[in-house]
Amino acid sequence: MLKRMTTAEPRLLSLGGCAKPGVYEDIHSRFSSVLNFIMGDRIVSLCDASHAPGPFRIITTGLSLEEITAVELSDDLLRLNASLLPVIVSDIYQPPVFTEPTDTDLLQRNLCLSSKYLSQHASSDSLPVLLSDPASAPLSFQGQLAQSLRTGLDLFSLGKYREGTNAMKRRGMGLTPAGDDLLIGFLIGCSWLEVTRKKQLSKIRECVYFAALDNDLMVNTFLYQGYALLVDEDWVDFLLDLSRSEIFSYRSMDRLMGHGASSGADQLLGFHQAVKLFGI
Amino acid sequence: MKTIAKIIQGKYLDSVKLMLISRKLREVPGVEDAVAIMATEENKGILAATGMLVDEILPAKDNDIVLVIKGEGDPEAWLSLAEDLLSGKNDKHSGTGKEVASASLESAINHLEHPDICLISVAGKYAAAEADKALDRGLHVMLFSDNVSLEAEFRLKQKAISRGLLMMGPDCGTAILNGVPLAFANAVPRGKIGIVSASGTGLQEVSVAIAHQGFGISQAFGTGGRDGKEEIGGIMLHACLDHLIHDPETEVIVLIAKTPEPKVLEKLWDQIASTPKKVIVNFLKPMETPNLPNIEYCHYLDETAAKACLALSESSPYPLSIPSLSSYVRHRMIEGRKGAVKGLYSGGTLCKEAALIYAETFGKEPLSNLVKDGPNRVKDIWNTDQDCFIDLGEDEFTVGRPHPMIDFSLRAKLIANEGKNPTTTVILLDVVLGWGAHPDPAAELVPVLKALPERIKVVCHVLGTDADPQQASKQKAALEAVGVKVFSSNHEAVDHALAILAEGGEES
Amino acid sequence: MNKIVLNNNKPGVINIGLEAFAADLRAQGVEVVNLDWRPPLEVDPAALTRMRNAREDRLAPANHEALEIIRKGKPFLVGMGIARDLIPGMHEDLILHAGPPITWERMCGPMRGAVIGALIYEGRAESPEAAEKLAASGKIKYAPCHEHSSVGPMAGIISPSMPVFVIRNETFGNQTYCTQNEGLGKVLRYGAFAPEVITRLKWMEQVLYPVLSRALAHLGKIDLQSLIAQALHMGDEVHNRNRAGTSLLIRQLAPAILKTMENVEESSAVLDFINGNDHFFLNLSMPASKAILDPARNIRNCSLVMVMARNGTDFGIQLSGTGDRWFTGPALVPDALYFPGYSKADANPDIGDSAITETGGLGGFAIAAAPAIVQFVGGNASDALNYTNLMYEITYGESGAYQIPALDFRGTPLGIDVTGVVEKNIAPIIDTGVAHKNPGVGQVGAGVVKAPTEPFVKAYEALAQLIID
């Protein structure tokens, strides 16, 4: 009963640069390691240290999230119920500016390795596995889902981005439905290609983004992150790995694929679809 | 094909949990598809395409989570499983009670709707004080702890009886009250036979044998092993017997004990004489009893059960099948007999019964640890070439080690050791099932039994019912699969083992 | 012969011992409660018998009477003054300290440092070395604050020139005293005696005290019970967390300070001082607790605890039924949560009179009202409820005035009964700060700690002796 914590007091590990000062009291959803607040039309997530830093995330340690009911953010102070945590500039998270890779052969090679790793290691419930198997029982939920997604991807390859997006969005298992995760990954792919490979994809990106938006604030926030390439640290690590790693380590992919039930794998699939479609 | 759907909610219900629930449901035989999804328009469209869009889902909103299951079978059962999975009821004992702990006896009493009995198993030196407190508060006591002094036992039993309370023990490991097995006891049906026993495994053996013959137990009281001594004066033996004599739910009474001391014995005979109810008495050895019309005496546990059932069926107005007493091998002489039998027991009374049967069969006592000294006291259980019966529940083996009914490591070692002994031809075991005992004794024994040489025959008495958590028939099957001969009666098992011995190592 | 009486229902079982038995019963749908059993304390069996037999006829009426007296108490802050003028028995060579009686030789580091600081403050010594010599000389007398109607946090040193608050229990007319809280860090009560400490003490005597004194005179009096009750509704437990209490206090004082202002700088400094010290209210909650307990002292056969106090070496208690006797045992080094860089090895044994708040149904006993502090000391909100709920097991009754919102406004556990502590082996919990063992370093941790049981066993056995009559 008389416990002793080894991490002493509550600490702020990272404050997302997109989290605006103010009082957050409207709770969107609560999980054991994440508390999601509504900030206008976006979600700001208060997370424990098991989550990667991100522009819309506040990462803390030494706190029991269960008891938090409100967050107050000012320029130099974060107030969580009774705890006051000072905010210093180095705590603030902004994703880096991505630059053109110097070695495109390396990039190409890493992309291939990554795609292969994804198809080999994604879990059986995820889209990479589902979509690679043409024989998934048509009359099951997953089977129908697979059909819809294939249709959507076919429409993409025909240049019909709005229709394609509509065929894929808001479908699938998970609190962020699998089709939405695919679109999020696709947007990350588009915006990354634009920035690092100078592809002209802004119109396509806009079209997919606005077609994908719906009334789920959490999904909308993720879509925005993909559209604007304001990604979380784990995606940053993966993207940097692709461009720079002499020996692609897969560690960043493992971290992404550990997300949710299949969220990470589904997003990676979307990313690779974008790369396949537009090339580097 | 049926489809059932439900809007679900839960604390911290995240995607991983939803996926796991879907997966688990899909594993249920007959289920064709099961998904836990957000009820978006698009997902509803997919459900429609697969014929899973049932009415329950229509009112669900975009951000509702809905569980849909399609298949052949019982949809209510699927939903019930889903509920369990959602609330995380997946541990070994998924009971209906919620776990309550209290810091004091008073608040514990306040937490119960019916505070009836206190089950005490703390160390001996504190146990008497706890029993005292419980009796003061009007609770019956089952004192599992041992190492309580005779004086304390007497004082507690006197206090108990003056308040109409039970004080079962010390060293009482088995009781069944109002159909509920307490501590080490078996799941047996409720019925008309009442038991008072100074022996735990004796109570278990008899109650299970009664269950196997299709009858049931009204109450089964444990008195602790010393109740029949003069210092205690049989307080609980008398009180429990008296209760059963006056209990309308009890028609036949069974009394099991080590022979009580003379004054206690006298009073017991008087009590039995005062009632028309049949009383089956077993003092664990042959003896003469007074010539009373309602007494049946026997010194075998299975016979005790059989006679109790017989007495009940005789008094029943309906014709019931009469349980037959198996015929036993008697007085086989040991001429040219090869090999030795080793009895490795966890139940003390069962071991004693085995030794008794041996003595009656062969006309002499076996080596054992049942006697403290003398020529029949085994010197070294790891190195004996003669017939030997060991009670592994004795103090010498349980200091610093869990009881052999819970922990099989010592027994497994002894069995392996016998495997290396060229003179051993028969190993005799008891496997006591029921609440409190090891969840899967067969799994513990099978590896070491499999490794035994061909020359050794293993005979095992599995004590339990199919209603016990371990399921007796499952245990039996697992043991038989490795060549063990299994019996549900100790007597039969011992007889069979001795028969093998007398035939010179061949099975009869 | 007496008949055994068995009810017909499925038996409800209380399990004491092997948890597997309870689990098995639960799996069968039987109502079962597991007793969180701990072995009883080693107590003279004769004492156990005597106390058990006396429970109904002797102890209960006495405890009932005592609890009523405590519940009726109404503590008010009625004024201020200088220790030498107000504290009964105070004289020039007397220094009061926290906890049970102790000699200079046995005093711990922080307390010695505080004594040295006090002697310098009083002008009795020019340097720490001279002060130490004087302290050890035999000329200076030491006595527990409690024996002079006072209380002091941590080292709890009160010397003649120090200003004190006067708290009066208006129901019974008795008074208690306490100094003004200095703040955190390098302060006298943690054993610091550097020049800045002395300077601050002088400022408190020459500025803080007059300003507050005038403000109080203007207000007449401040109802401390009301402030404490409100503070409990606002997340304080008024031992380790006093922020709400301090805020409520300053709200009452500020207008009065303005109205009786003689000098803007001084009044401003006073308000800043109180504002910057979250624990300012502690030096009021402590004497307020003592004030309601004192009238219940010296009731024959009463087994309720009147004082729990530590001097950094010993932990001492007093029972109502045993008069002024102290029962002591070694003060324990707390198993607390230590600030980064510190550990149990740095800690001083438990010290301070602040356990008087627990004795009065506040502090650790009211921690269910202060989940934030539990977080701070390494627990979670349900731990807070569990601590308070456990304390109901050892108190005779509940407070009327102090209620806990999270427990449906149930009154806090009040009236620690030594029989409960000893017979159930449940020690009172104290929500306390931990001092560094070296004088002048300050607080190194905080935690919810258990009182040692030895003093309670001694007190229990002593009371048992008295009850034969």
Side-chain angles (χ1 to χ4, degrees), chain B residues 2-9 21 24-26 28 31 33-36 54 56-57 65-71 73-89:
Chain B
K2 300 183 198 108
T3 303
I4 194 163
K6 190 172 187 290
I7 300 175
I8 56 179
Q9 280 156 348
I21 292 174
K24 271 246 131 73
L25 286 166
R26 269 179 257 148
V28 174
V31 168
D33 203 2
V35 286
V54 288
E56 289 83 24
I57 305 173
I65 303 171
V66 73
L67 178 64
V68 192
I69 313 166
K70 179 170 96 171
D74 178 11
E76 290 304 321
W78 304 333
L79 276 186
S80 174
L81 173 60
E83 296 286 328
D84 285 350
L85 292 167
L86 278 168
S87 58
K89 272 199 210 142

Side-chain angles (χ1 to χ4, degrees), chain C residues 261-317:
Chain C
M261 175 166 70
E262 285 183 1
N263 165 337
V264 164
E265 286 79 24
E266 290 189 345
S267 299
S268 184
V270 165
L271 285 171
D272 277 335
F273 182 79
I274 299 175
N275 196 28
N277 181 4
D278 268 344
H279 284 295
F280 193 78
F281 192 73
L282 177 65
N283 287 40
L284 292 171
S285 65
M286 284 171 60
S289 298
K290 183 169 176 61
I292 62 170
L293 287 162
D294 275 354
R297 295 178 68 104
N298 298 312
I299 295 176
R300 222 165 100 125
N301 294 337
C302 177
S303 60
L304 303 190
V305 177
M306 296 289 108
V307 170
M308 288 198 294
R310 323 78 111 205
N311 56 31
T313 310
D314 305 310
F315 188 111
I317 71 168

Side-chain angles (χ1 to χ4, degrees), chain C residues 154 190 333-334 336-338 347-348 432-436 442-447 449:
Chain C
M154 288 292 152
Y190 281 103
V333 176
L337 195 68
Y338 288 93
N348 198 68
T432 184
V434 182
H436 198 287
Q443 189 179 355
V444 295
V449 303

Side-chain angles (χ1 to χ4, degrees), chain B residues 104-106 108-109 115-122 126-143 155-156 159-160 163-168, chain C residues 12-16 35 37 52 55:
Chain B
S104 73
L105 193 56
E106 290 71 25
I109 290 173
D116 291 306
I117 182 166
C118 199
L119 171 52
I120 301 173
S121 53
V122 295
Y126 305 117
E130 296 303 319
D132 219 353
K133 280 197 262 189
L135 292 171
D136 278 341
R137 298 258 185 285
L139 298 167
H140 297 288
V141 169
M142 179 168 169
L143 190 51
R155 200 176 32 82
L156 288 169
K159 179 185 259 196
R163 293 163 199 226
L165 297 170
L166 286 166
M167 210 324 277
M168 300 189 284
Chain C
V13 183
I14 296 171
N15 186 52
I16 307 181
L35 196 68
W37 183 80
R52 285 226 186 91
R55 194 198 308 277

Side-chain angles (χ1 to χ4, degrees), chain A residues 30-32 66 124-125 138-141 144-145 169-175 177 214-216 260-261, chain B residues 11-16 18-19 22-23 26 33 35 37-38 40 42-43 46-47 49-50 62 65 70:
Chain A
R30 190 190 275 278
F31 302 95
S32 56
E66 259 194 51
S124 53
D125 284 307
L139 281 182
S140 72
F141 182 90
Q144 284 294 318
L145 174 68
K169 65 183 265 192
R170 310 303 285 139
R171 284 167 178 75
M173 300 216 278
L175 295 175
D214 210 282
N215 54 18
D216 185 330
Chain B
K11 196 176 177 191
Y12 301 166
L13 203 53
D14 58 25
S15 300
V16 176
L18 293 175
M19 179 187 66
S22 309
R23 259 197 213 151
R26 269 179 257 148
D33 203 2
V35 286
I37 48 177
M38 303 282 278
T40 60
E42 292 82 354
N43 271 342
I46 298 186
L47 288 172
T50 54
D62 257 22
I65 303 171
K70 179 170 96 171

Side-chain angles (χ1 to χ4, degrees), chain C residues 376-444:
Chain C
F376 178 60
V377 301
N380 57 40
S382 59
D383 287 331
L385 294 177
N386 290 339
Y387 285 138
T388 294
N389 278 326
L390 187 62
M391 292 302 101
Y392 285 114
E393 296 277 358
I394 58 171
T395 55
Y396 192 74
E398 298 174 12
S399 171
Y402 304 138
Q403 297 165 336
I404 301 178
L407 295 176
D408 277 330
F409 296 93
R410 188 174 177 187
T412 61
L414 184 64
I416 302 173
D417 187 345
V418 73
T419 65
V421 174
V422 169
E423 289 168 15
K424 297 182 189 181
N425 191 4
I426 297 174
I429 53 154
I430 302 172
D431 183 18
T432 184
V434 182
H436 198 287
K437 63 188 177 194
N438 295 337
V441 179
Q443 189 179 355
V444 295

